[in-house]
Amino acid sequence: MKDAFLTKELAEAIASEYPTPFYIYDEKGIRDNARRVREAFRWNRGFHEFFAVKALPNPVIMQILKEEGCGFDCSSQTELMLAEALGSTGEEIMFSSNDTPPEEFAYVNRLGGVINLDDITHIDTLLSVCPGDDKAPGGVRFPETVSCRYNPGGVFEMANGIMDNPGDSKYGMTKVQLMEAYQRLKSLGVSRFGLHAFLASNTVSNDYYPHLASRLFQLATEIRRETGIALSFINLSGGVGIPYRPEEMPNDIRKIGEGVKEQYRRILVPEGLDEVAVCTEMGRFMTGPYGALVTRAVHEKHIYKEYIGVDACAVHLIRPAMYGAYHHITVLGKEHAPHDHIYDVVGSLCENNDKFAIDRHLPRIDKGDLLYIHDAGAHSFSMGYNYNGKLKCAELLLREDGSVRLIRRAETPADYFATLDVCNIKGLP
Ligand SMILES: *Cc1c(COP(=O)(O)O)cnc(C)c1O
């Protein structure tokens, strides 16, 4: 069974002030987990987790993670602006973008963030906006530290089978390109180098990071042999997953940290590469389980199937519609009732994939019941959109002291119309 971090009573009290649907995040859950991550990698002196901002780009949450020692992994200018607004600069920022607009390279370089190059051609893009001290109009220096993203191609396999398919993914460089990129960067005066790879997403396995680490550590030794470069850091990126389904076993970050350490000792230390910092860019694992979407049952419909209509829709949480992703649902107050009904739980979009659950065994749902949709703390609010003119909902924080803080208000029609040119149209706000 998966437990909600809200009771029905608390959820109703919150809903009386902030109408459903709303997102709510659990500060204590986020802090405790971030501490476990730090503890698990304490053995590595330079360890740093760069929270993947795209997972939950709310500055209040980011501030909490910053207080717990995290930096930020950004991939766009607005994400960089969020990190900047929180006072993060320099090596507290990792910029792991792809298909990157040149002006974003210039922006991150001005902040002193670490650029993680997705492609060898991006060296020229970077040169075009940061040509170096002498030639640069505003004195924009070419960065001293640069990381490169690796894509081994093929399929990514572990003992328990194929995890993902890097050969089909648009990210990173081939090994040949990687070696060439390091040489070229060195000739441009870069003095500190990193290596990055993201080979599988949402891995519910304690073996993913250790396995990835063994491959990257091995590659680090090859890089040194071929280019003479001793890497300063190796970035395991994201991909550590969470158990969306109640029968899945959660990852044990302590074991994951130990597993990476073992590979570090086995591969890097004997090669004298024992100063390499390990870093991570986890998003889902950092906040996923500590957020929920709370929505109210507003309709029931009996045709060829049984439908429960709720006041949230795919605009608020697109993962089920987009990936067929499973999100567990708890009907608050009916946690222990028999799950003897089978429902499709649907939103109001004119899109038949707007379903939070299909053929789900749930307790009998009555109109007015509050449904708690689990594991919506990452890649959930942030993937929202505005189809059907639907408005995004509020985000709330359940603080450690039990109080609730509004950390993003719900959109209003005025927000939806704000980008239109409505000066000749009367009647719109
Ligand atoms: C999305 C992303 C992450 C975070 O992934 P999670 O699965 O949320 O851990 C980290 N790094 C990069 C480059 C990403 O694109």
Side-chain angles (χ1 to χ4, degrees), residues 242-317:
I242 59 171
Y244 286 97
R245 292 176 183 271
E247 66 273 16
E248 287 175 312
M249 278 289 289
N251 285 328
D252 179 342
I253 196 67
R254 201 182 49 79
K255 282 200 183 130
I256 291 175
E258 279 300 311
V260 174
K261 179 179 171 185
E262 218 173 280
Q263 300 303 326
Y264 194 96
R265 290 238 169 110
R266 186 173 71 83
I267 303 167
L268 291 182
V269 173
E271 295 272 335
L273 290 166
D274 49 4
E275 295 288 314
V276 180
V278 171
C279 51
T280 56
E281 296 173 337
M282 292 182 279
R284 196 184 314 271
F285 186 79
M286 299 306 289
T287 53
Y290 316 110
L293 173 59
V294 178
T295 180
R296 201 180 285 282
V298 288
H299 291 107
E300 53 184 291
K301 175 164 182 172
H302 317 279
I303 46 171
Y304 308 103
K305 294 180 88 171
E306 298 293 306
Y307 294 96
I308 294 295
V310 295
D311 58 8
C313 61
V315 155
H316 306 107
L317 177 62

Side-chain angles (χ1 to χ4, degrees), residues 52 54-55 73 96 149 196 198 201-202 237-240 281-285 379:
K54 70 174 192 232
D73 169 40
S96 298
R149 183 165 183 170
H196 171 285
F198 189 151
S201 200
N202 192 35
S237 75
V240 178
E281 296 173 337
M282 292 182 279
R284 196 184 314 271
F285 186 79
H379 309 298

Side-chain angles (χ1 to χ4, degrees), residues 91 141-147 181-194 227-233:
E91 303 217 336
R141 290 184 308 132
F142 198 80
E144 282 161 19
T145 304
V146 177
S147 176
Y182 284 126
Q183 306 271 24
R184 174 117 194 266
L185 289 165
K186 194 168 148 187
S187 74
L188 288 166
V190 174
S191 57
R192 293 181 72 243
F193 298 86
T227 68
I229 290 169
L231 295 177
S232 300
F233 60 92

Side-chain angles (χ1 to χ4, degrees), residues 197-420:
F198 189 151
L199 302 187
S201 200
N202 192 35
T203 55
V204 190
S205 156
N206 293 331
D207 298 330
Y208 170 66
Y209 259 7
H211 189 86
L212 172 67
S214 75
R215 294 193 52 176
L216 296 184
F217 294 168
Q218 200 63 52
L219 183 56
T221 67
E222 289 176 48
I223 290 166
R224 204 194 25 196
R225 262 196 302 280
E226 232 176 90
T227 68
I229 290 169
L231 295 177
S232 300
F233 60 92
I234 293 178
N235 183 345
L236 303 177
S237 75
V240 178
I242 59 171
Y244 286 97
R245 292 176 183 271
E247 66 273 16
E248 287 175 312
M249 278 289 289
N251 285 328
D252 179 342
I253 196 67
R254 201 182 49 79
K255 282 200 183 130
I256 291 175
E258 279 300 311
V260 174
K261 179 179 171 185
E262 218 173 280
Q263 300 303 326
Y264 194 96
R265 290 238 169 110
R266 186 173 71 83
I267 303 167
L268 291 182
V269 173
E271 295 272 335
L273 290 166
D274 49 4
E275 295 288 314
V276 180
V278 171
C279 51
T280 56
E281 296 173 337
M282 292 182 279
R284 196 184 314 271
F285 186 79
M286 299 306 289
T287 53
Y290 316 110
L293 173 59
V294 178
T295 180
R296 201 180 285 282
V298 288
H299 291 107
E300 53 184 291
K301 175 164 182 172
H302 317 279
I303 46 171
Y304 308 103
K305 294 180 88 171
E306 298 293 306
Y307 294 96
I308 294 295
V310 295
D311 58 8
C313 61
V315 155
H316 306 107
L317 177 62
I318 196 181
R319 298 187 71 259
M322 189 162 165
Y323 310 117
Y326 180 95
H327 277 265
H328 200 62
I329 295 177
T330 295
V331 183
L332 293 175
K334 297 183 176 174
E335 287 82 352
H336 303 291
H339 285 40
D340 53 2
H341 284 62
I342 297 179
Y343 293 115
D344 281 14
V345 176
V346 305
S348 56
L349 294 188
C350 305
E351 271 276 8
N352 197 41
N353 65 359
D354 183 15
K355 296 184 175 185
F356 292 113
I358 297 173
D359 298 330
R360 181 78 58 91
H361 286 265
L362 288 166
R364 179 204 147 92
I365 297 175
D366 295 292
K367 272 197 272 184
D369 280 348
L370 287 177
L371 275 61
Y372 175 105
I373 304 182
H374 291 252
D375 300 313
H379 309 298
S380 293
F381 182 93
S382 56
M383 285 189 141
Y385 56 117
N386 281 112
Y387 194 52
N388 264 180
K390 296 287 179 180
L391 304 174
K392 289 183 201 132
C393 66
E395 290 182 293
L396 308 172
L397 179 67
L398 177 61
R399 290 157 130 172
E400 284 190 294
D401 65 7
S403 64
V404 172
R405 172 178 172 194
L406 180 68
I407 58 172
R408 187 195 299 267
R409 67 163 172 81
E411 284 181 342
T412 66
D415 296 313
Y416 183 75
F417 299 131
T419 49
L420 290 173

